[in-house]
Structures are given as structure tokens and as C-alpha cells.
């Protein structure tokens, strides 16, 4: 479990102050995968540096399993940092070391026997699908395989938290899916807490249980993926985007519908047409399955004669969030 409370980081640039983190608070429970998404300059890198205490926050706290890391001695901090395994965009491997030697590197500092280290490395290679590449050098590996080595190395010290900073930004789409699936399967097998910092929504959609939107150093939306999608805010728009310029072919009110669960497959449109005896035109739609939940986002144009308030009530009664566009 990692808990961040009111984290602030202010940089000084001459006379100017830059507030890179402005009161970030979040709790990520043991065994869950939390995504932090934000555009360039939102404060993601600063957050990573503050979470690992590579950069001291100006105020606020970062606690790992209840222990406040902002309040420990430098020696304790060194030990505490090993509880957080780091995965970066580029694996930054030692070119002169083989896969197994790269993975063994953090273990060389732990005082374990050679046999214990060798067994641990073999376990990690099996876990990350690298057994056949144990003797290969980084130059003989693909980008995805190198990232696997980086992940195996990050797990060597049995961390409580795996902090992944843009883990797939340098990979092609297929390798991205493989690495994301690996991260999720590691969480399933090791019950490790995972924090994924990314600017890519598909990363969040593919593996995260919960997500926070970071903007200008603040978390502006946060929650379980199903909650934020149903809430109809900015994350919802990003997960279930509709084209902004879907042309209407006739006059009539335009409604946007957002709904989840089994209702995502319910015949909403035919229910409206039958109940109100009107024509309905689908301007745009997006249906997604995220984890075990399904979500739908539709933009509909209704007959000009429609009693819009009655349709809105009809939809609300069925647990469907509906808003009139351009009203
Ligand atoms: N060492 C520093 N000194 C002064 N300002 C800084 C420093 N590091 C970051 N900043 C500022 O803090 C803000 C957040 O930067 P940060 O690098 O954390 O954003 P980011 O979301 O990681 O962006 P990117 O995705 O482009 O790396 C920016 O306005 C940046 O200019």
C-alpha cells in the first residue's frame, strides 16, 4: 500500500517559483494497479522523483505500508527505496552484462549467497519469460525483451511497489500489449502494488484498476476505472471518445448517453423509439469492455417533435446518464 498525502513540490527558478506538484493525495491499495495520466508538464516526472524520494518534496508525505518515507534518516531511506522497484521507458541495462547478470545486479548488494542469487535470478527469468535469453547481451535482445529484463531487475529485491514510468512509450503497439500483459500477470501472481505513470490512455484502459488525472500538479479526477468512466468527466471522454464533429443529418435535439454494466448491451435506442414513437439517429458511438465491466457512450439525434424532458426522465429511471448537447 502506498499513500501520498498533500504532496507539494515547488522549484525555484531565479526569483520565480514553479509549483510542480500542488497537493497530490492518493492511496493505492496493496495488489492494485493505479494509473497516473497527464500531459507533458503536468508533473508526472516530479511525482516519480518525489515518490522515490530522489527529490525531497517541499511538503506532504509518502508512506509505504504505513511508514512515512519523508521522515526517515538517509540510511533508512536507502533500505526503504529498495521496497520500490522502478521500471523506466528505456531499460538502461549494462551493455557488458548478460540478461542474468543484469537481473542479478541489485542482488549483489544484498549479501545473499551466490547460490541464493542464482536461484532468484532463474525464478525471475522464468516469471518474465526470459529463460531462453539468460546468456544474451542487451544488443542481442529486442526492445520488448530488454524491457522484460528491466522489469525482472526491478523485481529482484522483492519490492512492495512496482513504479512504472512510461513503461511502454518506446515500444511498438504489439510489444506494448505484451509488456502490459506481463505487468498485469506479475501483479496477479505476486500481489504487488503497481503505479503506472503514462500519457497514453490505452495503457490505463488495458491494465489499470484505478486512475488519477494529473494536471498542473493537481489530481483533478480520480477513482476506480469504472467510477471515472461512469462519472462522465474528462477521463470518461478520454476512455470513450466520440468524434467531435459527427454531423447531424437533420434538425432535432442531440443527446449524449453514458452507461455501464449489463445496460451497455441493452436495446436503449429501440426502447426510446417504441416508447415515444419517434425516429432516432445514431451520430456516434463507442462501446468498450474494461476489466469485467462494459461501457457505452452514444450521441443520438432525436426527432424534432420529441419531448426531450420525458426522454431524459425515461433514461434516468434506467440508470443511464443523459445530457442534451448544445442546449
Ligand atoms: N528541476 C526543475 N526546476 C524548475 N522547474 C522544474 C524542474 N523540474 C520540473 N520543473 C517544472 O515543473 C513542471 C512539471 O514538470 P514535470 O517534468 O514533472 O512534468 P511531466 O508531466 O513529467 O512532463 P513530461 O511528460 O514532458 O516529462 C513543469 O512546469 C516543469 O517546467
Amino acid at each position: 500500500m502506498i499513500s501520498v498525502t498533500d504532496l507539494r513540490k515547488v522549484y525555484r527558478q531565479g526569483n520565480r517559483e514553479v509549483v510542480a506538484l500542488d497537493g497530490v493525495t492518493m492511496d493505492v491499495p496493496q495488489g492494485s494497479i493505479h494509473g497516473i495520466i497527464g500531459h507533458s508538464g503536468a508533473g508526472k516526472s516530479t511525482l516519480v522523483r518525489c515518490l522515490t524520494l530522489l527529490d525531497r518534496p517541499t511538503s506532504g508525505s509518502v508512506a509505504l505500508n504505513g511508514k512515512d518515507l519523508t521522515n526517515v534518516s538517509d540510511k533508512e531511506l536507502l533500505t526503504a527505496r529498495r521496497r520500490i522497484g522502478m521500471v523506466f521507458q528505456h531499460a538502461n541495462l549494462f551493455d557488458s552484462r548478460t540478461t542474468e547478470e543484469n537481473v542479478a545486479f541489485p542482488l549483489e548488494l544484498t549479501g545473499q549467497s551466490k547460490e541464493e542469487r542464482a536461484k532468484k535470478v532463474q525464478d525471475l527469468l522464468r516469471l518474465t519469460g526470459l529463460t531462453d535469453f539468460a546468456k544474451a547481451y542487451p544488443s542481442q535482445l529486442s526492445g520488448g525483451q530488454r524491457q522484460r529484463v528491466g522489469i525482472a531487475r526491478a523485481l529482484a529485491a522483492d519490492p512492495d511497489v512496482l513504479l512504472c514510468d512510461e513503461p511502454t512509450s518506446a515500444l511498438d503497439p504489439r510489444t506494448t500489449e505484451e509488456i502490459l500483459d506481463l505487468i498485469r500477470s506479475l501483479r496477479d501472481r505476486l500481489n504487488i502494488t503497481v503505479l503506472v505513470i503514462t500519457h497514453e490512455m490505452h495503457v490505463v484502459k488495458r491494465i489499470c484498476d484505478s486512475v488519477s488525472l494529473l494536471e498542473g500538479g493537481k489530481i483533478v479526477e480520480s477513482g476506480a476505472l469504472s467510477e471515472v468512466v461512469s462519472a462522465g468527466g474528462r477521463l470518461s471522454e478520454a476512455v470513450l471518445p466520440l468524434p467531435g464533429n459527427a454531423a447531424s443529418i437533420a434538425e432535432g435535439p442531440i443527446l449524449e448517453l453514458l452507461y455501464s454494466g449489463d445496460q451497455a448491451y441493452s436495446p436503449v435506442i429501440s426502447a426510446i423509439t417504441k416508447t415515444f414513437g419517434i425516429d432516432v439517429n445514431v451520430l456516434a458511438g463507442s462501446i468498450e469492455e474494461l476489466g469485467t465491466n462494459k461501457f457505452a457512450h452514444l450521441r443520438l439525434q432525436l426527432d424534432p417533435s420529441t419531448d426531450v424532458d420525458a426522454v431524459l426522465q425515461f433514461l434516468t429511471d434506467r440508470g443511464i446518464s443523459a445530457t442534451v448537447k448544445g442546449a
Side-chain angles (χ1 to χ4, degrees), residues 32 80 158 167 233 277 313 321:
S32 75
D158 291 324
Q313 190 59 52
S321 145

Side-chain angles (χ1 to χ4, degrees), residues 11 13 18 20 39-46 49:
Y11 292 110
Q13 275 181 339
V18 180
H39 291 302
S40 182
K44 303 186 298 297
S45 308
T46 307
R49 288 197 300 275

